[in-house]
């Protein structure tokens, strides 16, 4: 259990270091890049394929428009989407929960999503829609 927690801390710190370098090089142009997994590193410098990798396991560095900052997002698989839809809560709450779940770094709580600027929420929802390959967020234009 301690080893697992230590591994998670090491991975999180590694991601933060990678993000610092990535955010400086992307220059806030709205670009999306898949974050490397272990299999990608094993075949480096060749580019690994995404075949066989569960869509929920993929994560992406997405640069924020007009900013040198990036966030790490993941797609929402249809199975996970359906699990949200069967709950007896308002759709606005479900949307905030799904967006919070899709943002890996920085970690967001539902209350954090409620506090974000509307333009940023729409941008992040659009990116999650694109990464997921379907409309996770129904009222959000896809880019």
């Amino acid at each position: 259990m301690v080893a697992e927690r230590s591994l998670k801390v090491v991975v999180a710190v590694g991601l933060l270091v990678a993000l610092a370098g990535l955010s400086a090089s992307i220059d806030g142009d709205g670009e999306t890049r898949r974050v490397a997994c272990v299999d990608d590193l094993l075949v480096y410098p060749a580019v690994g394929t995404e075949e066989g990798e569960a869509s929920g396991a993929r994560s992406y560095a997405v640069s924020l428009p007009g900013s040198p900052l990036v966030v790490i997002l993941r797609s929402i698989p249809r199975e996970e989407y359906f699990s949200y839809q069967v709950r007896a809560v308002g759709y606005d709450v479900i949307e905030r929960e799904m967006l919070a779940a899709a943002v890996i770094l920085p970690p967001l709580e539902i209350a954090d999503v409620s506090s974000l600027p509307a333009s940023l929420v729409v941008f992040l929802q659009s990116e999650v829609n694109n990464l997921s390959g379907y409309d996770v967020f129904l009222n959000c234009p896809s880019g």
Side-chain angles (χ1 to χ4, degrees), residues 30-103:
E31 187 174 345
T32 300
R33 297 183 185 196
R34 188 170 60 88
V35 176
C37 65
V38 173
D39 291 339
D40 295 323
L41 298 178
L42 293 174
V43 297
Y44 181 83
V47 177
T49 66
E50 296 183 21
E51 292 178 23
E53 195 178 334
S55 64
R58 295 182 195 130
S59 54
Y60 299 85
V62 177
S63 63
L64 300 177
S67 170
L69 302 174
V70 298
V71 295
I72 301 292
L73 298 176
R74 68 176 181 87
S75 60
I76 301 287
R78 287 190 187 273
E79 300 79 24
E80 184 179 353
Y81 173 80
F82 294 137
S83 73
Y84 282 105
Q85 303 309 310
V86 298
R87 299 183 47 235
V89 295
Y91 192 71
D92 57 327
V93 173
I94 290 173
E95 280 197 332
R96 288 191 298 268
E97 288 177 345
M98 289 190 302
L99 187 57
V103 178

Side-chain angles (χ1 to χ4, degrees), residues 107-138:
L108 293 178
E109 299 293 327
I110 297 165
D112 298 325
V113 173
S114 299
S115 301
L116 296 176
S119 61
L120 179 58
V121 169
V122 168
F123 171 76
L124 294 173
Q125 288 176 335
S126 176
E127 289 296 315
V128 172
N129 281 353
N130 291 334
L131 296 175
S132 300
Y134 68 100
D135 288 337
V136 174
F137 302 99
L138 301 176

